[in-house]
Amino acid sequence: MTSSRVELHSDGILINGEPLILLSSSLFYFRIPAFEWRSRMRSLRRLGYNAIDVYFPWNYHELAPDQWDFSGERDVRDFLQQASDEGLWVIARPGPYICSEWDGGALPAYLCTIPGLRLRDNNPEFLQAVKKWFDRILPILVEFQVERGGPIVLVQLDNELDFYDCTDRTGYMTALRDMALQQGITVPLIACSGQGDIPGATGNVEGVAPACNVYFDPRDPQLEPRVRHYSKTLRAQGLPLCVIETNRSHTDLRRLLAGGAK
């Protein structure tokens, strides 16, 4: 899978033609006062991180049906510009479902009042609602893609769909992919699995690269073999192993890198 400036290969990730290990920490603008954004970014740089991943919660920006707010504490452009200024790459995660222990996984509550709507599925009513969200958030992400001089190098669609009882994973992920492409997303699209079920998370959709969430007992001696299995599986598809979420220990991070995570 390639784009003009970011490439995913079996051996790793290339950005602007250079191989790079993305060492990323979650940094969520909606949980941090705006005046603290830059200091948190600088703290991460001092710790050795070169990237952040960030969700964009739909119901944080749509305050009521068709009432949108991207100002002040919700100023996504300002957050992304600060990340760029501080030299951090960005993995953007606009959902529509984000999990993140956030109310409704960021899906607006009013969706549940729409007749015939099935959440997180290849359902016309749901996808029509998602399009309204994507029509607003994706153009902002397009502005900050790496090929435009910005920090965004990957865009994640949905989140841990393998945990959800989706009736048509392929149709749903295809619809999300097509919306992203139509809006001008050119960096690689990814979808993360929460339990190692790659088809369950991606629908095996062309143009959506699998990523994995790997949580484990730090004393587990089988971690490296398990990670190497993931790495081998993805290498056979010409892709690197991207671990989007893991434990909060640098020792665990080193073990994942030793197993082939990029």
Side-chain angles (χ1 to χ4, degrees), residues 203-215:
N204 283 332
V205 171
E206 183 179 356
V208 179
C212 297
N213 294 347
V214 182
Y215 292 97

Side-chain angles (χ1 to χ4, degrees), residues 71-200:
S71 63
E73 299 289 326
R74 295 173 169 83
D75 191 339
V76 171
R77 286 185 174 88
D78 186 30
F79 180 83
L80 292 172
Q81 185 60 58
Q82 290 188 37
S84 181
D85 293 343
E86 296 303 322
L88 289 164
W89 302 115
V90 173
I91 301 167
R93 308 170 78 182
Y97 179 83
I98 68 168
C99 191
S100 192
E101 291 69 53
W102 186 261
D103 284 355
L107 299 178
Y110 74 80
L111 295 179
C112 296
T113 70
I114 298 176
L117 185 145
R118 293 195 314 276
L119 300 173
R120 302 178 71 195
D121 215 327
N122 186 24
N123 168 261
E125 289 78 14
F126 181 60
L127 293 174
Q128 182 178 7
V130 171
K131 186 177 184 302
K132 293 194 303 179
W133 164 236
F134 275 11
D135 282 348
R136 286 159 178 81
I137 189 62
L138 294 187
I140 298 174
L141 303 187
V142 167
E143 291 177 32
F144 287 90
Q145 291 183 114
V146 65
E147 70 175 11
R148 297 197 181 191
I152 294 177
V153 292
L154 298 170
V155 171
Q156 179 183 304
L157 301 175
D158 207 90
N159 189 59
E160 296 184 343
L161 187 64
D162 51 323
F163 279 127
Y164 191 71
D165 188 21
C166 178
T167 63
D168 183 1
R169 299 176 192 279
T170 299
Y172 176 50
M173 293 305 295
T174 297
L176 296 186
R177 178 202 64 189
D178 291 349
M179 287 186 208
L181 296 178
Q182 289 163 9
Q183 288 287 353
I185 297 294
T186 55
V187 297
L189 299 168
I190 61 173
C192 73
S193 63
Q195 54 187 347
D197 179 0
I198 289 173

